[in-house]
Amino acid sequence: GAVVSQHPSRVICKSGTSVKIECRSLDFQATTMFWYRQFPKQSLMLMATSNEGSKATYEQGVEKDKFLINHASLTLSTLTVTSAHPEDSSFYICSAAGPGGNSPLHFGNGTRLTVT
Amino acid sequence: GQQLNQSPQSMFIQEGEDVSMNCTSSSIFNTWLWYKQDPGEGPVLLIALYKAGELTSNGRLTAQFGITRKDSFLNISASIPSDVGIYFCAAPGGTSGSRLTFGEGTQLTVNP
């Protein structure tokens, strides 16, 4: 079945540094990928929609200069948290949809970001 | 915007009991999805429903797509300890069919 790989699974960084998270579709081409953020004991909150070869679409309230998204190929999307601060600490999860967008989304295993 | 109301928020049950949870919305959806999330991991798809009135099973799990297309439920029969986790309903909307909206989740605890 469809597999989405997310890396790293955990990262600790110092305040002010940038962190890049990768999301790969391993056995299918993903024209669209989605980035979610999840706080403890809460649901997933969509941050942005990443389309291969075009600019990402950000949800209201999500700073595009803070959360840089690049979807340079059909199998890879990256999320870079720039100038991270402790309030950016969270669980970030990506998901991917195949061509046509009608197949159910499959999710990566998430990245636990801790900013000290 | 579109919102999914999921209930109950949490459940504490004994092993062997059946579980039922549901999601409702004021909006109509053409697809309902149910996911399970274990601690520290991403959600895993359990069941996908594509047709109003559809009843689909996956092992001990059964989910139904409400006839009004505004609701769905998930049943787990004969629960076991590994059923512990958070269960989310989700439905795609927006201009991209895969842009998912999630329910608030149901935290399930199974006591052995």
Side-chain angles (χ1 to χ4, degrees), chain A residues 4-62:
Chain A
V4 175
S5 174
Q6 193 172 336
H7 178 80
S9 57
R10 294 176 182 271
V11 58
I12 301 172
C13 70
K14 292 188 176 180
S15 188
T17 61
S18 296
V19 173
K20 180 184 284 188
I21 303 170
E22 294 186 346
C23 182
R24 294 180 185 274
S25 57
L26 296 185
D27 56 358
F28 66 102
Q29 293 183 328
T31 54
T32 305
M33 290 184 174
F34 301 87
W35 288 95
Y36 290 82
R37 183 173 183 177
Q38 186 179 32
F39 291 106
K41 299 190 184 303
Q42 292 189 22
S43 188
L44 284 75
M45 182 181 68
L46 181 64
M47 298 174 66
T49 302
S50 170
N51 296 297
E52 187 269 335
S54 64
K55 289 184 179 180
T57 304
Y58 290 81
E59 296 298 305
Q60 191 173 9
V62 178

Side-chain angles (χ1 to χ4, degrees), chain A residues 32 34 36 38 41-44 46 49 59 91 93 97 101-110 112, chain B residues 31 33 35 37 40-45 48 50 86 88 96-105 107:
Chain A
T32 305
F34 301 87
Y36 290 82
Q38 186 179 32
K41 299 190 184 303
Q42 292 189 22
S43 188
L44 284 75
L46 181 64
T49 302
E59 296 298 305
F91 194 54
I93 312 173
N102 290 325
S103 59
L105 285 184
H106 294 273
F107 287 79
N109 268 337
R112 171 71 61 192
Chain B
T31 301
L33 307 169
Y35 289 87
Q37 185 179 28
E41 298 184 12
V44 173
L45 181 66
Y50 298 106
I86 304 177
F88 291 101
S96 169
S98 295
R99 184 180 175 280
L100 287 184
T101 297
F102 279 83
E104 300 99 330
Q107 172 71 62

Side-chain angles (χ1 to χ4, degrees), chain B residues 64 75 81-82 84 87 89 107 111-112:
Chain B
Q64 183 157 29
N75 284 345
S82 61
V84 166
Y87 292 80
C89 62
Q107 172 71 62
N111 296 315

Side-chain angles (χ1 to χ4, degrees), chain A residues 48-81:
Chain A
T49 302
S50 170
N51 296 297
E52 187 269 335
S54 64
K55 289 184 179 180
T57 304
Y58 290 81
E59 296 298 305
Q60 191 173 9
V62 178
E63 300 175 57
K64 61 180 181 180
D65 295 329
K66 173 75 172 175
F67 299 99
L68 298 178
I69 291 173
N70 184 279
H71 194 155
S73 77
L74 285 171
T75 59
L76 174 64
S77 175
T78 61
L79 168 69
T80 301
V81 183

Side-chain angles (χ1 to χ4, degrees), chain B residues 9-27:
Chain B
Q9 194 172 32
S10 61
M11 300 183 75
F12 297 83
I13 63 170
Q14 292 298 123
E15 183 177 0
E17 290 183 357
D18 297 343
V19 172
S20 184
M21 59 193 79
N22 69 83
C23 267
T24 62
S25 176
S26 58
S27 302

